[in-house]
């Protein structure tokens, strides 16, 4: 196991009816800006519950944070925070609203050009407004981590940043709030969480049996409960476990002391920036092809994944590893997330521009060995057509 330091200050308040706890969680004197997405938070009644829980506090609303949150929209929220003097933010929504709120929290306190926050991957952040979240879509883990991804359409750039200053102070996780999710988002959520675990697990053996077994437990839970959530959307126990699984998949715990990959995510971000695919759709397209491309380097861990997660007992190490990749693709398809570029009307002509912008964004040495170069990514995309 590698040396590590683990820090995660986010308080999780989990369970039905827990939005009422906002009154306890947010300082009484805070002037709160509530940020949300399109209209789902209002339509489902979640926003109403939030407003009620805020009680006597002064608060304002900022709506319209898009899926794959747009830089220009977020800058409007920054302007509102500065003009109206909010000192606390509350995100109500999925990963996009939470990521967007993280950016607003940092940008509102940043004196220079806010784009620096993204080009420096967060290292230039010196302060951020405090904020909490009410999660409505289990997928990204953003509710309990220090990462965020922002999309600047005019530059076709979807860039991540990280900072300990943007950990949420708290996140309220009420599984009932996820009953209203469209099937597409249930599938996306399970696939995203699955790939988060894979990026931290499917590398090479690192003498970290606890991290491995946490990861394998999360993967098995997603495989078991993901399809059940599609069939019986209003089952509390299924939704509760999926919600907690997605949080644990990317709150830092399983990634301590082990090598990490993240090449699938970085290549996936380019697909969203140029073609607007949902985040999880990009992962479902890239991951099986990436695992095939890195087959030899990953074979030992792929075979462990085959045996422990997919219960594949027969065959050589290589055969088990191959079957595990096929099972993974099948799982994504079962969750209604398609796994080929052609499923999204993309052909060979899409590849070069993706490779160009990947290079331009400095994503030239990806993966756990730093050897996933633009040439490797080109082959991955060709295999994913
Ligand atoms: O906009 P509204 O109307 O709210 O509708 C949303 C949106 O259209 C809807 N929705 C959310 N909760 C709902 C609901 N509809 C009905 N009932 C509910 N309870 O779902 C749609 C998608 O929402 P979005 O927030 O975009 O989805 P997700 O949570 O999958 O977030 C994706 C974003 O997170 C980033 C992705 O790149 C992408 O931009 N990621 C963030 C990470 C992080 N911070 O650590 C890691 C991830 O790898 C990922 O990159
Ligand atoms: Zn993801």
């Amino acid at each position: 196991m590698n040396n590590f330091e683990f820090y995660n200050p986010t308080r999780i308040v989990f369970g039905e009816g827990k939005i009422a706890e906002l009154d306890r969680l947010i300082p009484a004197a805070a002037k709160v800006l509530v940020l949300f997405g399109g209209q789902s938070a209002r339509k489902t009644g979640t926003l109403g519950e939030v407003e009620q829980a805020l009680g006597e506090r002064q608060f304002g609303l900022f709506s319209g944070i898009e899926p794959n949150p747009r830089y220009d929209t977020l800058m409007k929220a920054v302007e509102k925070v500065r003009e109206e003097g909010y000192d606390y933010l509350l995100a109500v929504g999925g990963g996009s609203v939470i990521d967007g709120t993280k950016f607003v929290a940092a940008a509102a306190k940043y004196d220079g050009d806010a784009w620096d926050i993204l080009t420096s991957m967060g290292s230039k952040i010196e302060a951020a407004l405090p904020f909490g979240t009410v999660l409505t879509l289990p997928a990204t883990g953003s509710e309990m981590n220090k990462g965020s991804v922002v999309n600047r359409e005019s530059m076709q750039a979807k860039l991540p940043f990280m900072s300990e200053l943007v950990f949420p102070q708290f996140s309220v996780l009420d599984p009932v709030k996820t009953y209203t999710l469209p099937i597409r988002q249930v599938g996306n959520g399970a696939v995203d969480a699955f790939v988060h675990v894979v990026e931290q697990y499917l590398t090479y053996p690192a003498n970290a049996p606890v991290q491995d077994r946490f990861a394998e437990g999360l993967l098995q839970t997603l495989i078991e409960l993901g399809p059940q959530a599609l069939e019986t959307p209003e089952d509390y126990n299924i939704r509760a476990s999926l919600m907690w699984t997605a949080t644990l998949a990317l709150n830092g715990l399983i990634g301590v002391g082990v090598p990490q990959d993240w090449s699938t995510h970085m290549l996936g971000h380019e697909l969203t920036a140029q073609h607007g695919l949902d985040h999880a759709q990009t992962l479902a397209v890239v991951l099986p092809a990436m695992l095939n491309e890195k087959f030899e380097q990953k074979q030992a861990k792929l075979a462990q994944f085959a045996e422990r997660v997919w219960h594949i007992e027969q065959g050589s190490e290589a055969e088990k590893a191959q079957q595990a990749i096929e099972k993974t693709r099948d799982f994504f398809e079962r969750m209604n997330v398609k796994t080929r570029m052609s499923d999204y009307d993309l052909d060979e002509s899409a590849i070069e521009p993706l490779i160009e912008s990947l290079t331009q964004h400095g994503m030239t040495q990806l993966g756990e060995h730093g050897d996933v170069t633009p040439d490797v990514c080109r082959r991955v995309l060709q295999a994913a057509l």
Side-chain angles (χ1 to χ4, degrees), residues 240-311:
S241 286
L242 277 180
M243 201 169 200
W244 187 223
T245 302
T247 302
L248 290 169
L250 196 51
N251 72 349
L253 184 67
I254 65 167
V256 298
V258 296
Q260 301 194 14
D261 183 340
W262 297 107
S263 57
T264 292
H265 266 73
M266 295 309 130
L267 188 49
H269 291 164
E270 302 298 337
L271 272 162
T272 296
Q274 295 199 5
H275 300 286
L277 271 66
D278 292 350
H279 173 62
Q281 293 173 336
T282 71
L283 306 176
V285 165
V286 175
L287 183 74
M290 186 67 80
L291 294 177
N292 276 321
E293 172 68 32
K294 303 304 285 177
F295 191 80
E296 275 173 33
Q297 283 175 349
K298 288 182 183 287
Q299 182 169 309
K301 225 41 201 296
L302 275 166
Q304 181 180 325
F305 171 56
E307 287 165 11
R308 295 194 189 171
V309 175
W310 294 109
H311 309 297

Side-chain angles (χ1 to χ4, degrees), residues 25-42:
L25 295 165
I26 300 177
K31 182 170 176 183
V32 184
L33 183 63
V34 180
L35 300 99
F36 56 104
Q39 285 308 316
S40 81
R42 200 183 288 280

Side-chain angles (χ1 to χ4, degrees), residues 1-5 204-212 214 253-259:
M1 198 190 303
N2 301 327
N3 295 351
F4 68 86
E5 189 171 320
Y204 52 86
N207 292 311
V210 173
Q211 290 88 324
D212 279 1
F214 270 132
L253 184 67
I254 65 167
V256 298
V258 296

Side-chain angles (χ1 to χ4, degrees), residues 38-40 68 95-96 99 136 145 147 158 177 180 196 265 279:
Q39 285 308 316
S40 81
N68 309 307
S96 294
D99 281 9
T136 63
N145 71 34
K158 189 179 182 201
K177 300 298 162 216
T180 53
H196 292 158
H265 266 73
H279 173 62

Side-chain angles (χ1 to χ4, degrees), residues 69-368:
R70 290 188 192 168
Y71 181 82
D72 296 342
T73 305
L74 301 175
M75 288 309 292
K76 286 186 191 143
V78 171
E79 227 177 276
K80 188 174 168 79
V81 167
R82 287 185 175 149
E83 275 172 14
E84 298 175 23
Y86 297 100
D87 54 18
Y88 204 99
L89 307 180
L90 180 64
V92 180
S96 294
V97 173
I98 299 175
D99 281 9
T101 300
K102 288 176 176 179
F103 178 78
V104 173
K109 290 272 191 182
Y110 190 75
D111 289 333
D113 178 353
W115 185 237
D116 297 348
I117 292 174
L118 291 155
T119 52
S120 72
M121 288 185 111
S123 65
K124 291 211 168 158
I125 300 173
E126 284 175 1
L129 285 173
F131 68 98
T133 90
V134 173
L135 181 68
T136 63
L137 196 177
T140 64
S142 188
E143 65 279 7
M144 198 181 177
N145 71 34
K146 60 178 177 179
S148 163
V149 194
V150 172
N151 193 21
R152 192 164 191 181
E153 291 217 315
S154 57
M155 294 189 178
Q156 288 202 328
K158 189 179 182 201
L159 299 178
F161 74 91
M162 273 185 253
S163 168
E164 287 191 355
L165 294 160
V166 299
F167 272 113
Q169 286 196 335
F170 66 82
S171 285
V172 175
L173 275 58
D174 177 348
V176 175
K177 300 298 162 216
T178 68
Y179 290 0
T180 53
L181 283 168
I183 278 181
R184 170 167 158 189
Q185 300 304 343
V186 177
N188 279 349
V191 168
D192 191 21
F194 191 97
V195 181
H196 292 158
V197 179
V198 164
E199 300 269 31
Q200 300 165 88
Y201 164 75
L202 266 181
T203 55
Y204 52 86
N207 292 311
V210 173
Q211 290 88 324
D212 279 1
R213 289 194 165 95
F214 270 132
E216 288 152 0
L218 297 175
L219 293 170
Q220 285 176 296
T221 306
L222 291 166
I223 292 163
E224 185 184 322
L225 298 184
Q228 290 183 31
L230 292 179
E231 277 164 32
T232 45
E234 303 209 351
D235 183 312
Y236 182 85
N237 290 323
I238 293 171
R239 294 296 198 160
S241 286
L242 277 180
M243 201 169 200
W244 187 223
T245 302
T247 302
L248 290 169
L250 196 51
N251 72 349
L253 184 67
I254 65 167
V256 298
V258 296
Q260 301 194 14
D261 183 340
W262 297 107
S263 57
T264 292
H265 266 73
M266 295 309 130
L267 188 49
H269 291 164
E270 302 298 337
L271 272 162
T272 296
Q274 295 199 5
H275 300 286
L277 271 66
D278 292 350
H279 173 62
Q281 293 173 336
T282 71
L283 306 176
V285 165
V286 175
L287 183 74
M290 186 67 80
L291 294 177
N292 276 321
E293 172 68 32
K294 303 304 285 177
F295 191 80
E296 275 173 33
Q297 283 175 349
K298 288 182 183 287
Q299 182 169 309
K301 225 41 201 296
L302 275 166
Q304 181 180 325
F305 171 56
E307 287 165 11
R308 295 194 189 171
V309 175
W310 294 109
H311 309 297
I312 297 167
E313 307 287 341
Q314 306 295 321
S316 65
E317 187 178 88
E319 284 164 352
K320 287 180 188 167
Q322 196 57 54
Q323 280 185 59
I325 298 175
E326 281 153 28
K327 293 258 186 199
T328 299
R329 184 190 293 282
D330 289 348
F331 171 65
F332 295 165
E333 296 275 350
R334 244 189 307 145
M335 293 309 296
N336 282 314
V337 187
K338 298 279 175 219
T339 60
R340 295 277 174 195
M341 282 173 68
S342 53
D343 293 319
Y344 304 95
D345 295 328
L346 295 176
D347 60 22
E348 181 98 42
S349 66
I351 295 179
E352 264 339 285
L354 290 166
I355 298 302
E356 263 167 46
S357 65
L358 191 73
T359 310
Q360 201 194 331
H361 296 145
M363 305 288 175
T364 53
Q365 292 180 307
L366 302 172
E368 64 271 22

